């Protein structure tokens, strides 16, 4: 894993702002990038790069024109909700969304033309559908990037992995019948969490049957469940499909203590997943790996998880303690002290592990019975 890592960030993404009392706030992305800087991540071959705004035409690679026209009208006043009450519009909301998409598209271009890993921690807005906003997501930068990878760069087979605690429904159903995209989604069981979807039985349709795989986890599921699902489903699925590139949405809201969800992963899972996905990308697709952020509603969790991912894919170990310079910035921004280290004890929960094992067995049996000729 000697490839450089390019991280794309600009303060323009702070304009994606739903107001002071809303749980989604891109300030945590700024603090994450500050942590990467203060850890010395960009002192050698890795780079922190500015972002550009995507065009409407690029957004239309995934979204319907009618929806984009609607957003163009709505962003003039920003006075309505875009869904049932989670995602308010605001003045300039389409423009702000286009900055996030632009950052993801620059990261995509870097991965496909420059032999680097790329990370947009401000991206990963996986709930937006082709024709509507949902779950704090107005435009789906991940889905737009996947479409553009196929249409502009000629990628014939891609894998999308989503480790956000919420099901990545915008991407999952947006490409449900598309046989060029393997979609692997690890999340908290939809019976207990927004958006209420993402079940084992949903495995794609038509030529894509078996290429969409959900691994719903019971509330409380810990590092042992995460690693089991990774080893048993994610790794072998990627090896079997042999994608030409991998996009991973790295939402940090499955980390324990997240105020909106109930999984119990520690930073060990983010570190292990990052190491494994970088190795797999080297083995399968010449290191073409695009990383995106996502959810994460306890700001220190998001900062630590994304810094752990960035350090790991660039082959660096997390230090025992965090830089004082960053701890001070974090305290000033949020009014509380972050943990002293990225390193955390592993979490285990034998009861939920058993349930994960059963879920994985059910998924494997279903795929076997539906796609293997008898
Ligand atoms: Zn989420």
């Amino acid at each position: 894993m000697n490839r450089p890592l390019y991280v794309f960030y600009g303060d323009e993404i702070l304009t994606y702002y739903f107001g002071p009392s809303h749980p989604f706030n891109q300030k945590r992305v700024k603090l994450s990038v500050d942590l990467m800087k203060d850890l010395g991540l960009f002192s050698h071959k890795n780079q922190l790069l500015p972002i550009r705004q995507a065009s409407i035409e690029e957004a239309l690679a995934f979204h319907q024109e009618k929806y984009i026209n609607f957003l163009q009208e709505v962003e003039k006043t920003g006075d309505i909700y875009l869904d049932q009450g989670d995602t308010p519009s605001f003045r300039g909301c389409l423009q702000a969304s286009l900055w996030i998409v632009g950052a993801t598209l620059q990261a995509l271009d870097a991965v496909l033309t420059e032999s680097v890993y790329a990370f947009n921690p401000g991206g990963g807005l996986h709930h937006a559908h082709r024709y509507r906003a949902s779950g704090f997501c107005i435009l789906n930068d991940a889905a737009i990037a996947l479409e553009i990878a196929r249409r502009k760069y000629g990628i014939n087979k891609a894998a999308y992995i989503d480790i956000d605690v919420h099901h990545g429904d915008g991407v999952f159903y947006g490409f449900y019948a598309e046989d060029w995209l393997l979609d692997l989604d690890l999340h908290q069981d939809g019976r207990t969490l927004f958006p209420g979807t993402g079940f084992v039985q949903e495995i794609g349709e038509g030529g894509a049957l078996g290429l969409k795989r959900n691994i719903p986890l019971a509330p409380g599921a810990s590092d042992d469940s995460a690693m089991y699902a990774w080893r048993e489903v994610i790794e072998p699925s990627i090896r079997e499909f042999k994608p030409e590139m991998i996009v991973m949405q790295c939402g940090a809201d499955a980390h324990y203590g997240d105020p909106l969800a109930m999984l119990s992963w520690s930073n060990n899972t983010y570190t292990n997943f990052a190491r494994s996905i970088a190795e797999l990308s080297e083995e399968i697709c010449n290191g073409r790996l695009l990383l995106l952020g996502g959810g994460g509603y306890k700001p220190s969790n998001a900062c630590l998880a994304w810094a752990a991912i960035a350090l790991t894919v660039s082959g660096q170990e997390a230090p025992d303690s965090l830089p004082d310079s960053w701890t001070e910035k974090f305290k000033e921004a949020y009014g509380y002290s972050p943990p002293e280290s990225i390193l955390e004890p592993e979490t285990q929960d034998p009861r939920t592990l058993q349930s994960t094992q059963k879920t994985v067995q059910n998924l494997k049996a279903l795929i076997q019975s539906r796609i293997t000729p008898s």
Side-chain angles (χ1 to χ4, degrees):
M1 298 192 287
N2 282 324
R3 232 168 258 275
L5 171 69
Y6 285 6
V7 175
F8 290 87
Y9 175 80
D11 283 344
E12 294 91 345
I13 70 157
L14 301 177
T15 59
Y16 192 84
Y17 182 57
F18 296 117
S21 56
H22 195 280
F24 187 95
N25 191 322
Q26 295 287 48
K27 192 165 69 172
R28 76 221 150 98
V29 179
K30 184 180 176 63
L31 266 297
S32 304
V33 172
D34 280 342
L35 177 55
M36 294 175 204
K37 276 190 220 165
D38 291 1
L39 286 166
L41 190 83
F42 304 113
S43 57
H44 186 34
K45 59 188 177 171
N46 303 317
Q47 292 191 40
L48 177 61
L49 294 161
I51 64 174
R52 70 169 172 91
Q53 196 177 29
S55 66
I56 295 284
E57 195 190 340
E58 285 169 327
L60 289 170
F62 178 70
H63 292 286
Q64 288 179 355
E65 196 167 2
K66 205 168 145 187
Y67 174 53
I68 299 294
N69 292 342
F70 163 74
L71 290 175
Q72 281 178 315
E73 279 310 305
V74 163
E75 76 165 347
K76 290 176 187 163
T77 51
D79 54 2
I80 59 163
Y81 273 97
L82 298 172
D83 56 7
Q84 279 81 38
D86 292 327
T87 317
S89 65
F90 53 90
R91 276 176 199 266
C93 62
L94 174 60
Q95 300 308 313
S97 303
L98 289 168
W99 278 106
I100 294 173
V101 175
T104 295
L105 293 180
Q106 274 176 306
L108 174 75
D109 187 70
V111 165
L112 296 182
T113 62
E114 292 194 55
S115 221
V116 296
Y117 303 136
F119 188 10
N120 172 21
L125 301 187
H126 62 166
H127 293 305
H129 292 261
R130 288 184 187 272
Y131 53 90
R132 68 178 167 93
S134 175
F136 319 156
C137 306
I138 298 175
L139 295 181
N140 194 322
D141 58 297
I144 293 167
L146 287 163
E147 273 293 357
I148 288 182
R150 188 173 67 89
R151 295 186 200 177
K152 179 177 164 192
Y153 297 89
I155 292 290
N156 293 311
K157 287 170 93 176
Y160 172 77
I161 298 141
D162 190 315
I163 62 167
D164 192 283
V165 79
H166 303 96
H167 183 229
D169 55 341
V171 180
F172 196 83
Y173 300 116
F175 299 102
Y176 198 63
E178 305 275 343
D179 64 0
W180 56 272
L181 184 69
L182 172 71
D183 191 321
L184 307 170
D185 201 307
L186 189 56
H187 51 267
Q188 185 179 321
D189 192 321
R191 289 171 298 184
T192 62
L193 193 68
F194 177 89
T197 56
F199 299 103
V200 166
Q201 293 74 18
E202 301 171 283
I203 58 168
E205 62 190 16
L209 193 67
L211 294 181
K212 317 295 161 182
R213 301 178 182 183
N214 287 311
I215 311 133
L217 303 176
S222 302
D223 288 334
D224 45 0
S225 276
M227 281 319 295
Y228 182 84
W230 187 272
R231 271 198 319 270
E232 294 293 320
V233 179
I234 306 222
E235 273 183 11
S237 301
I238 292 172
R239 287 208 170 94
E240 179 193 338
F241 186 68
K242 297 186 179 59
E244 295 164 17
M245 69 171 288
I246 298 172
V247 177
M248 182 151 103
Q249 196 270 19
C250 305
D253 40 10
H255 197 291
Y256 55 73
D258 190 279
L260 299 193
M262 293 173 274
L263 294 192
S264 292
W265 299 358
S266 76
N267 264 326
N268 289 284
T269 285
Y270 296 100
T271 303
N272 290 335
F273 283 5
R275 186 179 303 117
S276 175
I277 203 64
E279 285 170 2
L280 275 169
S281 76
E282 295 295 340
E283 178 190 323
I284 308 285
C285 52
N286 203 20
R288 288 167 165 176
L289 174 62
L290 168 59
L291 300 163
L292 303 172
Y297 301 97
K298 184 174 175 186
S300 57
N301 277 356
C303 293
L304 268 52
W306 294 335
I309 288 169
L311 286 170
T312 305
V313 300
S314 34
Q316 299 181 38
E317 300 274 330
D320 289 339
S321 61
L322 295 173
D324 290 341
S325 54
W326 181 77
T327 302
E328 285 309 313
K329 273 179 240 174
F330 187 92
K331 265 199 278 192
E332 201 181 310
Y334 288 105
Y336 70 91
S337 295
E340 285 169 12
S341 173
I342 289 177
L343 306 167
E344 294 173 330
E346 279 194 11
T347 55
Q348 289 189 338
D349 183 37
R351 190 182 49 85
T352 49
L353 176 61
Q354 261 185 8
S355 137
T356 303
Q357 288 166 336
K358 208 169 143 197
T359 301
V360 165
Q361 281 158 17
N362 289 343
L363 174 62
K364 284 183 174 177
L366 179 68
I367 288 170
Q368 192 79 14
S369 71
R370 295 294 298 278
I371 65 172
T372 309
S374 50

